[in-house]
Amino acid sequence: MGSICEYITSGSRGWAQYYSDTGRLFLRMGNLSRDSFELRMDNLQRVDLPDNAEGTRTRVAENDLLFSITAEIGMLGLIPANFEEAYINQHVGLIRFLKEAQTKYFPYILMSAFCRDQYYTVQRGMKNSFRLDNIQNILTPVPPLGEQIRIAEKLSSIWLHIQQIDDESETATDIISKAKSKILDLAIRGQLIPQDPNDEPASVLLERIRAEKEALIKAGKIKRDKKESVIFRGEDNSYYEKIGNKVKNIDDEIPFELPDGWAFVRLKELWELISGRDLALSEYNVDRVGVPYITGASNFVGGKVESVRWTTSPQVMTETGDLLLTCKGTIGRIAFNDFGSAHIARQIMAIRNKFALNSEYLALCMVFYINAIKNVAKGLIPGISREDILNLLLPVPSLSYQARIVKRVAALTASISSIEKSLN
């Protein structure tokens, strides 16, 4: 690059003392662009320079190309004709091409992957920096002048279309994200598909589960929960929760109104929660000997769980059908166990279906609550406790409605995914 430049320099240091509401323009990294070479004029700083200020070297001229040399390397800004008096700060390099090289070809080529790969190769320091000699040594293909002009004209003619496509793609991606969120919101509130008055009320389902629990207690298979939660609606239309002999109003916990026939219930009343335990280094291997050892979020890839460690001394087991949730570090990732018995580390919780409920519907609820789950994460290494999960309020419809809503959400998600693939 240096051989086609009149000179390359960087901006002035210590000019913050000259900042003013009036005076000359002082161009900074915020005025440069990553995906074009148009100056961004929405965040301008001005300087009121004393007569003895060093500035000739860093005063910009028509067709100068500005180039960011710290932090995000290679953002650009081309100085247009009739631009007012302006200077650059120390984070910006100034490239002044030789007269015969002052075409828009070079700004375009400096945005190419070919050139940007060179920027990343030589970045230095914690904040990334790019020296002036690095700019001089950038390799660029140089076609004949006439070809440069034709290439620049062609790129200029299609660049607006490219940017429009990018903008529309970003807009579409945002719309898709909002659509997914809205679908989930409507599903959990019972508003995505019509209610069927012939469905069994959730209260009947919950009574049947309580009867199952009582039978298991009498058979000695489970212990009675002294803190069993029963949520009901009082005559005043408020929500109450009974735990033991105590009853309290929980209106402030209710996230939304439910359709007729639905009920709120704590997760712990319907599902078993299993917390993982870490293994010592000597207790696991990478040789595929034993059962998989699931250690954390790194095992969760594309909605599936991948195994990279194994153990012959498992202690805390997940089984097929469990819904796995990361609860420490990178929290809130979920995936079903579709691979069989495995040991889980303390970064993982397994939610197990005890009463033949719809696990896919539970997964929808967990995704719905995921931001709330993340917001209660505590400590230097973010983490959620068993109580955070056990006490989640789940909206419970009939089993038949759960099945219908899962099917409908799956169909809509598949349609959205096909749109996403076309955008990518």
Side-chain angles (χ1 to χ4, degrees):
M1 178 71 74
S3 62
I4 57 173
C5 295
E6 181 178 327
Y7 74 92
I8 299 172
T9 190
S10 59
S12 301
R13 296 178 179 273
W15 280 24
Q17 61 184 312
Y18 304 139
Y19 282 5
S20 171
D21 293 333
T22 60
R24 289 85 158 185
L25 273 182
F26 191 50
L27 298 173
R28 302 170 296 171
M29 283 184 57
N31 301 116
L32 308 185
S33 302
R34 174 166 178 77
D35 297 316
S36 76
F37 46 80
E38 289 187 12
L39 286 171
R40 296 167 58 185
M41 305 298 288
D42 55 342
N43 183 22
L44 296 177
Q45 179 61 58
R46 294 186 177 273
V47 287
D48 188 7
L49 298 179
D51 294 337
N52 62 349
E54 180 269 339
T56 303
R57 177 181 59 84
T58 63
R59 180 175 176 177
V60 303
E62 180 181 349
N63 288 326
D64 283 350
L65 184 64
L66 308 186
F67 185 105
S68 60
I69 56 175
T70 63
E72 187 171 358
I73 309 297
M75 294 195 295
L76 302 174
L78 184 66
I79 303 299
N82 302 315
F83 196 70
E84 66 176 287
E85 183 177 346
Y87 301 85
I88 57 173
N89 79 351
Q90 72 268 28
H91 301 296
V92 177
L94 185 155
I95 304 172
R96 184 163 294 164
F97 292 98
L98 295 169
K99 198 69 176 177
E100 55 270 27
Q102 290 185 4
T103 69
K104 289 185 177 180
Y105 168 81
F106 291 104
Y108 278 120
I109 202 68
L110 287 172
M111 289 192 295
S112 69
F114 173 77
C115 286
R116 282 181 172 162
D117 285 345
Q118 298 178 59
Y119 312 157
Y120 305 144
T121 302
V122 296
Q123 289 179 14
R124 295 174 173 82
M126 292 292 291
K127 294 183 178 179
N128 293 337
S129 63
F130 205 69
R131 297 193 312 229
L132 298 182
D133 63 332
N134 297 141
I135 297 178
Q136 292 173 348
N137 291 327
I138 295 172
L139 289 173
T140 60
V142 182
L145 179 59
E147 186 67 13
Q148 290 180 35
I149 294 171
R150 286 192 292 273
I151 290 172
E153 288 177 347
K154 185 63 175 177
L155 286 172
S156 180
S157 68
I158 64 174
W159 203 256
L160 287 176
H161 297 294
I162 293 173
Q163 289 183 309
Q164 183 178 4
I165 291 171
D166 285 343
D167 291 343
E168 289 175 353
S169 179
E170 290 179 6
T171 301
T173 300
D174 184 55
I175 291 172
I176 286 172
S177 177
K178 290 178 180 178
K180 287 181 176 179
S181 178
K182 189 63 176 177
I183 288 169
L184 186 61
D185 183 72
L186 292 173
I188 298 304
R189 294 171 184 266
Q191 298 173 1
L192 187 64
I193 58 175
Q195 303 293 314
D196 186 342
N198 296 316
D199 284 345
E200 176 185 76
S203 58
V204 176
L205 169 64
L206 296 179
E207 283 299 324
R208 189 163 62 246
I209 290 173
R210 290 188 187 104
E212 288 183 45
K213 282 184 181 180
E214 197 63 35
L216 291 171
I217 291 169
K218 289 181 179 179
K221 294 182 179 180
I222 63 173
K223 294 181 179 180
R224 186 177 302 280
D225 182 5
K226 295 180 180 179
K227 294 184 178 181
E228 180 185 19
S229 163
V230 178
I231 296 173
F232 62 94
R233 209 156 192 177
E235 293 181 358
D236 59 356
N237 216 31
S238 289
Y239 280 93
Y240 293 88
E241 182 175 23
K242 181 181 179 183
I243 299 177
N245 294 322
K246 295 182 178 179
V247 177
K248 71 171 184 176
N249 185 297
I250 59 168
D251 279 345
D252 58 341
E253 293 188 56
I254 301 301
F256 46 78
E257 282 297 313
L258 292 178
D260 291 340
W262 288 43
F264 280 115
V265 65
R266 301 287 183 189
L267 181 142
K268 66 178 182 177
E269 299 303 324
L270 302 181
W271 306 83
E272 180 182 1
L273 184 64
I274 302 161
S275 295
R277 183 183 304 164
D278 288 345
L279 296 176
L281 184 62
S282 60
E283 294 178 305
Y284 63 85
N285 65 85
V286 295
D287 302 319
R288 295 179 175 270
V289 178
V291 300
Y293 174 31
I294 311 304
T295 58
S298 60
N299 295 111
F300 289 62
V301 180
K304 296 285 188 178
V305 176
E306 295 183 353
S307 301
V308 295
R309 295 175 181 174
W310 288 260
T311 180
T312 56
S313 52
Q315 300 168 28
V316 181
M317 302 296 288
T318 173
E319 304 294 346
T320 300
D322 289 350
L323 182 63
L324 303 178
L325 167 72
T326 59
C327 58
K328 293 188 183 300
T330 302
I331 62 175
R333 293 188 181 178
I334 65 171
F336 279 108
N337 177 339
D338 60 0
F339 47 84
S341 298
H343 177 97
I344 53 174
R346 68 187 185 93
Q347 288 87 351
I348 307 291
M349 292 178 183
I351 306 175
R352 183 165 297 166
N353 192 348
K354 296 192 298 182
F355 298 104
L357 300 171
N358 193 311
S359 296
E360 295 283 354
Y361 178 75
L362 171 67
L364 293 181
C365 291
M366 296 305 293
V367 173
F368 176 80
Y369 280 116
I370 213 72
N371 286 331
I373 291 171
K374 289 180 179 179
N375 287 338
V376 299
K378 305 172 182 70
L380 292 174
I381 299 176
I384 46 180
S385 69
R386 286 179 56 84
E387 287 69 28
D388 295 330
I389 303 303
L390 289 170
N391 289 319
L392 281 176
L393 272 178
L394 302 183
V396 179
S398 67
L399 286 175
S400 57
Y401 190 90
Q402 291 178 35
R404 293 197 301 274
I405 200 65
V406 165
K407 183 177 180 180
R408 182 58 176 158
V409 170
L412 291 172
T413 301
S415 298
I416 289 175
S417 295
S418 66
I419 296 173
E420 281 185 299
K421 287 179 181 178
S422 69
L423 290 174
N424 294 330

